[in-house]
Amino acid sequence: MSPEPFGARLRHAMDTRGPLCVGIDPHASLLTSWGLNDDVAGLERFTRTVVEALADRVAVLKPQSAFFERFGSRGTAVLERAVEEARAAGALVLMDAKRGDIGSTMGAYAATYLDKDSPLFSDAVTVSPYLGFGSLRPALDAAAASGSGVFVLALTSNPEGAEVQRATVADGRSLAQVMLDHMAAENAGAAPLGSVGAVVGATLGDTGADLAINGPLLAPGIGAQGATPADLPRVFGASAGNVVPSVSRGVLRHGPDASGLREAAGRFADEVRAAVSDG
């Protein structure tokens, strides 16, 4: 029996829990602001607090793997527990790893995050396509087999990204549009939503791109980076209903009190829902 595709599970989670992804980004300054030490004990306390506060109510939790990997094997062990506990509480886990490579190495990354037998198995993972979209095939195939998803970098919020992503190819399309077109092809015929998503910054204003990929659009930049839920219809247009806004510091700064985290996440989800409905 084939697993339920990620796109269908995400659509259901967004419809029932609200269209919001909360990042788990335990960087040193945030640990300090919570009164925690920048060590494995602080990392574990921070992560467990976020998971216990939010995993039973938000659609997606997105741990940033680098902030765990910096503590070596003990940090990775904290990440493994967080993934397991968040999924058990009903949240979809999007591993923000931004992996990209070729051949067997890409296959190994796919096995790490998209194989059900892996301790880091996640509902989806972020990947970079700028070794060529075809280099992602091992991850795309592994995701399809396990019912997981893949979010592909397209138009990122960092200013430096433009020199690559907005460069044009021979037919006049931007490189980002080439990648978006590949994603649309992967999602063709999927309902209610494809499982190959794009990462498109919410801070970009008019993207100048066709975002109708029949898949989810992960939109970082809400909150601390300056974008607001009200910006979503302007940036994403007719595709705004498929946007999964990602908020990290905008929610996490309300910790370590669990009720503060819950209230902030709930407020963002309500604002996003209202903005998308009005737009």
Side-chain angles (χ1 to χ4, degrees):
M1 184 175 179
S2 298
E4 185 178 17
F6 171 74
R9 294 188 290 123
L10 177 61
R11 179 78 272 165
H12 177 73
M14 291 169 64
D15 291 345
T16 57
R17 293 186 169 208
L20 187 69
C21 167
V22 177
I24 306 179
D25 296 0
H27 48 76
S29 62
L30 194 51
L31 293 178
T32 299
S33 73
W34 278 35
L36 300 172
N37 292 328
D38 185 26
D39 56 19
V40 174
L43 174 76
E44 186 164 23
R45 178 68 178 274
F46 176 93
T47 305
R48 179 157 290 175
T49 298
V50 176
V51 170
E52 290 179 351
L54 300 179
D56 66 344
R57 63 195 62 218
V58 301
V60 183
L61 284 175
K62 180 175 69 66
Q64 169 46 259
S65 64
F67 290 118
F68 296 85
E69 292 169 19
R70 69 192 182 102
F71 291 105
S73 61
R74 293 181 300 164
T76 300
V78 173
L79 180 59
E80 290 174 1
R81 288 192 295 273
V83 170
E84 180 181 9
E85 291 169 4
R87 298 188 74 238
L92 298 176
V93 172
L94 167 56
M95 184 64 69
D96 195 357
K98 299 184 179 70
R99 300 305 192 219
D101 216 305
I102 60 172
S104 60
T105 307
M106 192 68 230
Y109 283 137
T112 301
Y113 304 110
L114 302 170
D115 187 319
K116 288 182 178 293
D117 293 329
S118 170
L120 285 172
F121 173 69
S122 303
D123 296 284
V125 65
T126 56
V127 296
S128 174
Y130 292 109
L131 286 172
F133 192 86
S135 69
L136 302 180
R137 182 51 54 193
L140 297 168
D141 290 346
S146 63
S148 301
V150 173
F151 282 87
V152 182
L153 301 182
L155 287 160
T156 56
S157 55
N158 62 307
E160 303 88 348
E163 67 179 282
V164 174
Q165 297 156 15
R166 294 185 184 272
T168 56
V169 298
D171 64 9
R173 290 179 296 166
S174 68
L175 188 53
Q177 188 62 62
V178 171
M179 299 305 167
L180 289 162
D181 291 345
H182 280 299
M183 296 175 224
E186 294 291 325
N187 290 327
L193 197 64
S195 297
V196 179
V199 180
V200 179
T203 58
L204 296 176
D206 182 3
T207 64
D210 180 1
L211 302 176
I213 64 168
N214 190 35
L217 301 166
L218 182 70
I222 301 287
Q225 292 185 45
T228 70
D231 294 322
L232 296 175
R234 176 173 57 87
V235 177
F236 294 94
S239 298
N242 293 336
V243 171
V244 189
S246 178
V247 182
S248 296
R249 284 170 290 173
V251 169
L252 300 177
R253 66 183 178 85
H254 294 279
D257 183 65
S259 63
L261 294 170
R262 294 184 186 117
E263 289 171 8
R267 185 169 60 253
F268 273 112
D270 289 343
E271 290 176 1
V272 169
R273 189 184 287 110
V276 171
S277 298
D278 294 343

